[in-house]
Amino acid sequence: MEYMQAPATSSQGNILCCTCGVPIPPNPANMCVACLRTQVDISEGIPKQVTVHFCKQCERYLQPPASWVQCALESRELLTLCLKKIKSSMTKVRLIDAGFLWTEPHSKRIKMKVTIQKEVMNGAILQQVFVVEFVIQYQMCDDCHRVEAKDFWKAVVQVRQKTVHKKTFYYLEQLILKHKLHQNALNIKEINDGIDFYYGSKQHAQKMVDFLQCTVPCRSKTSQRLISHDIHSNTYNYKSTYSMEIVPVCKDNVVCLSPRLAQSLGNMGQVCVCVRVTSTIHLIDPNTLQIAEVDGSTYWRYPFNSLCNPRQLEEFIVMDTDIIRNQKLGAGAGMRSNKHTLAEVWVQKTSEMNTSQQYHCRTFLGHLLNIGDLVLGFDFANSNVNDEYLNKMNPHHVPDVVLIKKSYDRSRRAKRRNWKLQEMEREREGMDTDDERQYQDFLEDLEEDEALRKNVNIYRDASKIPVESDTDDDGAPRVSLMEMLEELSLTDATGEEGAEMMTD
């Protein structure tokens, strides 16, 4: 009889478990999995409940030691953060798999199923699955803590300008809003002669200082005060103060330059009008239409003051005007303005209409003025101005009147204005009752100066419906609809606040 050999594919012979006697495939420990688990727990030392800190204000999780990260529920980032919490206790096992188990989103619990392997007893590899529960505890992060405690600041930027008008600050506010630099500030406090920005870090304050130096002509000083000192770790805690002084010259100011500065700017006249203040001071000579720009460093080397404030401007009526053409400038003259027209005008004060007193002057507003128009100007002939450079000038070179800008009906302009600006949220103290008039002046400046508007976000005011009529149009400059932005609101998407989204 022939012996039949078992096929090669037959099952391997089983052995009995050395503890319970159950037949099992051979393994290095000679034990079944159940008995092996009673002998060895490979998840020992790995915590089954861990605390995770979460900030409710900014919805970020704490990643030790001190960083806060944004993680969505059941995201890869949250999985990484949770595994890092138990990583130190898993040095002797190998991680095979990890995944989230569903929990109620508001339960303040995150459950994670972890699969690990470890070599035990004579080289046998045991795999185990267990659940780690992460308990969410609320803790306010440092950034939110600084925002809540408004006096918890590390650096302050103090912006000052020694003028009676706040036009430069209104312009600066719009630039800060456009570039979103106010978002890092813990607190913004407006005081009588300036504004303070408080920051939680020195880097944010330095960023604001750099922005101001590029935006307006100014100079800065820095100081710091020692708050605390840890002698063991050799760490110092300082509070830094940045003092920014903006040049005391605003738009529509009449200034008198020093002879040396006037000569260096192309032999222009010493009495000039400031037509704009951006990163430089833009000056124009009303006698020749010469223009020049003075930056911050030049101004502090050759400083000059404003000869009048807006309250001292008087209203004149144009009696006669004559355009000056083909005027030749002297040797070494600088650039001339192409946007203005030189003219000789006779004007009379509206307060002196019952007299025959008239004044003759040159002006750069020849393209705007017609006989009978009202214009604002500064009367040198009847003013006592105490200025170092003006007192030394030849009296024949000092004009009787310097005209600044054409005058329009303010109430009519405000009624027709169908746009608005955003404002920064800030604390106010020591406010002047004249602020509303100054703000209206700034809005009118924006309407009159297109170059100034390019740096400002102007929003369409849906609450105002302008009434158009031929009799209302007095030729006042206006902001075109193309320059206005639509202000984002909830009503744009839903039709009305709180309404449901439209469906088919």
Side-chain angles (χ1 to χ4, degrees):
M1 183 181 289
E2 190 174 344
Y3 177 77
M4 297 293 293
Q5 190 176 3
T9 57
S10 64
S11 61
Q12 187 179 8
N14 289 341
I15 63 170
L16 298 180
C17 171
C18 66
T19 304
C20 63
V22 175
I24 56 170
N27 64 59
N30 295 328
M31 294 174 69
C32 65
V33 174
C35 294
L36 199 56
R37 282 186 177 152
T38 60
Q39 299 290 324
V40 181
D41 181 14
I42 64 173
S43 68
E44 186 179 4
I46 301 174
K48 304 302 186 292
Q49 192 175 64
V50 184
T51 301
V52 176
H53 295 288
F54 177 73
C55 178
K56 284 198 294 186
Q57 269 79 1
C58 60
E59 298 185 348
R60 293 187 300 174
Y61 293 88
L62 174 63
Q63 183 172 311
S67 59
W68 293 79
V69 291
Q70 195 96 27
C71 303
L73 286 173
E74 299 195 5
S75 65
R76 182 180 296 180
E77 293 80 10
L78 187 57
L79 187 68
T80 304
L81 186 140
C82 292
L83 286 173
K84 282 183 179 179
K85 300 283 284 185
I86 59 174
K87 182 180 178 182
S88 59
S89 59
M90 295 175 62
T91 54
K92 296 180 180 178
V93 299
R94 189 170 66 166
L95 180 66
I96 300 300
D97 187 28
F100 288 110
L101 296 175
W102 187 88
T103 54
E104 175 65 37
H106 303 289
S107 65
K108 296 199 285 188
R109 297 289 187 276
I110 299 172
K111 290 187 177 180
M112 187 170 67
K113 185 171 73 171
V114 182
T115 306
I116 57 173
Q117 279 184 357
K118 185 180 180 182
E119 189 176 314
V120 296
M121 288 191 184
N122 305 324
I125 296 176
L126 186 62
Q127 181 169 308
Q128 187 172 342
V129 180
F130 62 98
V131 175
V132 181
E133 185 180 69
F134 296 87
V135 181
I136 295 176
Q137 281 193 356
Y138 293 139
Q139 177 181 323
M140 190 179 287
C141 67
D142 291 341
D143 294 338
C144 293
H145 189 274
R146 284 171 185 152
V147 172
E148 290 298 318
K150 292 183 177 179
D151 59 340
F152 192 77
W153 52 273
K154 290 287 183 70
V156 59
V157 180
Q158 300 174 336
V159 188
R160 299 289 183 269
Q161 187 183 31
K162 296 174 182 175
T163 56
V164 295
H165 206 288
K166 296 183 178 180
K167 284 184 182 180
T168 309
F169 282 109
Y170 290 132
Y171 174 65
L172 204 56
E173 177 187 12
Q174 296 305 315
L175 291 180
I176 291 170
L177 284 168
K178 183 171 185 175
H179 296 280
K180 296 182 171 60
L181 282 175
H182 63 294
Q183 293 180 345
N184 294 326
L186 304 180
N187 191 24
I188 303 172
K189 187 180 291 185
E190 183 176 341
I191 59 175
N192 196 26
D193 59 344
I195 191 166
D196 293 344
F197 297 89
Y198 295 88
Y199 292 94
S201 71
K202 194 174 178 180
Q203 289 77 13
H204 287 151
Q206 187 63 54
K207 187 177 179 183
M208 173 60 95
V209 170
D210 295 341
F211 173 76
L212 290 172
Q213 287 175 335
C214 297
T215 307
V216 288
C218 58
R219 62 179 174 182
S220 63
K221 291 180 183 178
T222 308
S223 63
Q224 55 185 14
R225 181 162 57 96
L226 181 64
I227 304 301
S228 62
H229 173 213
D230 187 351
I231 58 173
H232 300 292
S233 59
N234 203 29
T235 55
Y236 295 83
N237 182 19
Y238 287 103
K239 278 192 174 182
S240 303
T241 301
Y242 297 88
S243 178
M244 309 292 296
E245 185 182 357
I246 303 175
V247 295
V249 177
C250 292
K251 177 178 163 59
D252 297 337
N253 282 168
V254 183
V255 298
C256 184
L257 311 179
S258 66
R260 190 171 177 183
L261 178 59
Q263 186 180 9
S264 67
L265 295 175
N267 288 328
M268 66 190 303
Q270 285 183 249
V271 177
C272 297
V273 177
C274 175
V275 291
R276 191 183 306 120
V277 177
T278 54
S279 56
T280 56
I281 304 170
H282 298 253
L283 301 174
I284 187 168
D285 183 353
N287 288 318
T288 61
L289 287 191
Q290 273 187 254
I291 54 174
E293 293 184 19
V294 178
D295 58 17
S297 59
T298 306
Y299 176 85
W300 298 116
R301 278 202 308 273
Y302 308 104
F304 50 86
N305 296 316
S306 172
L307 302 181
C308 65
N309 63 55
R311 292 182 184 178
Q312 293 173 307
L313 294 181
E314 300 204 40
E315 193 174 57
F316 295 86
I317 186 167
V318 179
M319 308 304 290
D320 191 18
T321 178
D322 183 24
I323 302 295
I324 301 174
R325 305 185 190 279
N326 304 323
Q327 188 207 19
K328 291 185 179 180
L329 297 178
M335 292 178 59
R336 290 187 63 180
S337 172
N338 296 323
K339 296 181 179 179
H340 301 88
T341 303
L342 192 63
E344 286 186 345
V345 292
W346 283 92
V347 293
Q348 187 173 12
K349 284 185 185 179
T350 53
S351 59
E352 297 177 350
M353 292 298 287
N354 57 345
T355 68
S356 59
Q357 178 66 44
Q358 292 190 5
Y359 303 91
H360 178 263
C361 65
R362 281 192 174 189
T363 180
F364 57 94
L365 301 173
H367 58 298
L368 295 175
L369 299 183
N370 297 305
I371 296 174
D373 284 346
L374 295 177
V375 61
L376 295 176
F378 184 59
D379 179 10
F380 275 95
N382 301 306
S383 298
N384 183 14
V385 179
N386 185 16
D387 183 79
E388 177 188 359
Y389 303 122
L390 189 71
N391 294 341
K392 295 178 182 177
M393 281 183 65
N394 185 338
H396 298 292
H397 295 162
V398 179
D400 289 340
V401 171
V402 175
L403 301 181
I404 304 295
K405 62 179 181 178
K406 190 174 177 180
S407 178
Y408 302 97
D409 187 341
R410 167 165 284 186
S411 59
R412 190 180 295 175
R413 289 180 76 171
K415 191 185 298 183
R416 204 172 51 201
R417 189 174 294 130
N418 60 336
W419 53 273
K420 61 182 178 180
L421 302 174
Q422 289 186 335
E423 290 188 22
M424 285 189 305
E425 291 185 9
R426 57 190 184 270
E427 292 182 14
R428 298 172 185 264
E429 62 178 45
M431 297 304 294
D432 194 350
T433 54
D434 200 34
D435 279 358
E436 182 58 36
R437 186 189 66 80
Q438 295 184 19
Y439 190 66
Q440 291 297 321
D441 284 346
F442 173 67
L443 297 182
E444 290 174 6
D445 288 346
L446 285 180
E447 289 176 334
E448 293 165 11
D449 194 343
E450 187 179 350
L452 207 63
R453 290 201 299 268
K454 289 180 180 178
N455 301 323
V456 175
N457 283 346
I458 295 175
Y459 296 91
R460 191 168 63 86
D461 192 353
S463 64
K464 280 193 178 179
I465 304 173
V467 180
E468 297 291 342
S469 70
D470 296 334
T471 56
D472 270 358
D473 193 6
D474 54 358
R478 303 171 66 177
V479 178
S480 66
L481 199 62
M482 295 291 291
E483 297 176 88
M484 299 182 199
L485 301 171
E486 290 286 345
E487 194 169 25
L488 182 64
S489 64
L490 292 174
T491 58
D492 296 339
T494 60
E496 60 175 311
E497 196 166 350
E500 295 182 1
M501 294 294 288
M502 295 176 65
T503 54
D504 294 337

